Amino acid sequence: QVQLVESGGGLVQAGDSLRISCAASGRTFSAYAMGWFRQAPGKEREFVTAINWSGGNTYYADSVKGRFTISRDNAKNTVYLQMNSLKPEDTGVYYCAAATLLGHGYDYWGQGTQVTVSS
């Protein structure tokens, strides 16, 4: 089992930056690829970004490419999402997730953290 707890969400203005974190506990964090997803009100959850176990490979949705950066610190069992140039359409609940193997679904999910971007 892996427990994931997101933090750092909040209310910001368009153009601002925000960093959210996801702390993992339980099984070996470095064994998992990690991803961030988000869900806006009335919409389905969507993929935002992912990172492999070592941090050497990252993947981004087109909508956030160039603005968001995913990173991880395996010594701290934490994955981060740095969000710059935020837009109102980035508003939503952000979830982190852990995958045994990228591309084969996510095994564990956090409870989410709310990010609200005002115009």
Side-chain angles (χ1 to χ4, degrees):
Q1 285 283 350
V2 174
Q3 292 78 42
L4 303 172
V5 179
E6 301 94 337
S7 63
L11 172 64
V12 297
Q13 293 188 334
D16 284 352
S17 297
L18 188 68
R19 188 178 81 160
I20 57 178
S21 304
C22 173
S25 60
R27 302 186 70 176
T28 306
F29 175 71
S30 60
Y32 292 89
M34 299 297 296
W36 284 99
F37 292 75
R38 66 187 181 189
Q39 187 167 20
K43 295 187 177 181
E44 293 192 353
R45 186 167 58 192
E46 64 175 357
F47 169 79
V48 175
T49 179
I51 189 168
N52 74 330
W53 69 273
S54 68
N57 292 302
T58 57
Y59 310 87
Y60 296 93
D62 288 343
S63 59
V64 305
K65 207 170 289 184
R67 299 188 298 122
F68 289 13
T69 303
I70 188 172
S71 62
R72 66 188 297 161
D73 185 337
N74 287 343
K76 295 183 177 180
N77 290 354
T78 302
V79 62
Y80 304 97
L81 181 61
Q82 177 68 44
M83 302 181 287
N84 298 330
S85 302
L86 282 160
K87 304 175 182 180
E89 51 263 44
D90 294 318
T91 294
V93 178
Y94 282 70
Y95 300 90
C96 70
T100 303
L101 185 63
L102 277 177
H104 290 74
Y106 287 81
D107 305 290
Y108 304 100
W109 294 83
Q111 294 298 307
T113 186
Q114 177 71 45
V115 173
T116 304
V117 185
S118 64
S119 57

